[in-house]
Amino acid sequence: MSARLLVRGWQRVRRMPGYHRLLYELVSVLYGNRRAWRLMNYGYAPLPGTAPLVLDSADEPDRYSLQLYHFVASVGTLRGMDVLEVGAGRGGGTAFLHRHFQPQSTTGLDFSRRAVASCRRTYALPGLSFCVGNALALAFDAGRFDVVINIESSHCYPNRGQFFQEAYRVLRPGGLLLYSDVLQDHEYVPVPALVRAAGFAIRDACLMNAEVMRALELDNARRQALVNREVARPFRTIARQLTVTTDSYSYQKLQTGRSRYFRIVAAK
């Protein structure tokens, strides 16, 4: 089968109901605790002239993915707060938030039981916990958290408006929603109105296509090597789409503006 046919098949699968759940459960089965797969986001690289984020040597291989977390989270005060990350995934970003920003507690929530089990085995820090849950029906009392963080996860949700309502409910008065994702242009257009309809006041909104593409370009060699090392040859074309290498469909959509990568800061 040609690479073009594989990509077309992948694009059809992406439109199937429930494909995101199947995809992330499959990643959990295949890659388990492997260090290289503990962060899966596109990444962020400040444009030239900005001082780089100082990282521990152990975090350096994940620099661009961690810089995305830092860019999103640094607009709020997390120190001493109760923080919820919805869509914690492989847990590397959640653990970084907890170590770097020093909240009182950090809860990482994900729908994948395998991913949560892996996070619990991998990250053992006081005040850091992981749980299985549904972004559209958060199993927490109203006013439980000071900050809700959601990074590159909401594109999986069948009803983003319902997620914003749930985030509003579990936040304390004055609490912050720190929200970032990549959506196709037509999907992004109603998002600010949905955030406001949930009750939030938007404090800041920005597009990040240039910084995210720069991160993907700077990190491309590592991502390509990761696919070649970890993925069987017949599946590498699809794996490059998942890993968002610069020859992927997702990168091309960012490049042409058909997708928008954005950050929204909203207050209750």
Side-chain angles (χ1 to χ4, degrees), residues 65-203:
S65 290
L66 292 178
Q67 284 180 169
L68 177 62
Y69 268 86
H70 186 268
F71 179 75
V72 173
S74 60
V75 293
T77 300
L78 273 62
R79 188 180 183 91
M81 301 295 182
D82 293 313
V83 176
L84 170 66
E85 183 183 9
V86 179
R90 311 300 300 146
T94 317
F96 170 76
L97 290 174
H98 192 69
R99 289 186 286 108
H100 188 85
F101 291 98
Q102 299 183 322
Q104 175 175 269
S105 71
T106 305
T107 303
L109 178 144
D110 202 83
F111 70 82
S112 171
R113 293 184 180 278
R114 291 181 180 273
V116 169
S118 175
C119 290
R120 287 171 175 169
R121 290 192 300 268
T122 305
Y123 306 105
L125 297 170
L128 174 63
S129 63
F130 293 90
C131 65
V132 178
N134 182 351
L136 306 188
L138 297 172
F140 301 104
D141 292 337
R144 168 67 178 80
F145 298 98
D146 300 294
V147 179
V148 172
I149 296 178
N150 187 254
I151 295 179
E152 209 171 296
S153 178
S154 76
H155 60 273
C156 304
Y157 305 164
N159 188 334
R160 276 180 284 274
Q162 188 173 336
F163 162 65
F164 300 141
Q165 292 168 17
E166 280 292 277
Y168 187 89
R169 181 183 64 79
V170 302
L171 280 169
R172 294 169 182 145
L176 291 180
L177 171 65
L178 307 180
Y179 170 54
S180 185
D181 206 349
V182 56
L183 296 174
Q184 294 185 67
D185 190 67
H186 69 278
E187 295 175 314
Y188 172 78
V189 169
V191 164
L194 289 173
V195 172
R196 293 188 181 97
F200 287 104
I202 294 179
R203 289 187 177 177

Side-chain angles (χ1 to χ4, degrees), residues 22-55:
L22 176 63
L23 170 64
Y24 290 117
E25 289 287 10
L26 180 61
V27 169
S28 296
V29 171
L30 293 177
Y31 301 113
N33 292 322
R34 294 188 190 183
R35 179 69 177 83
W37 295 90
R38 290 181 187 169
L39 287 118
M40 295 180 64
N41 64 54
Y42 284 36
Y44 177 90
L47 299 180
T50 303
L53 176 64
V54 177
L55 293 173

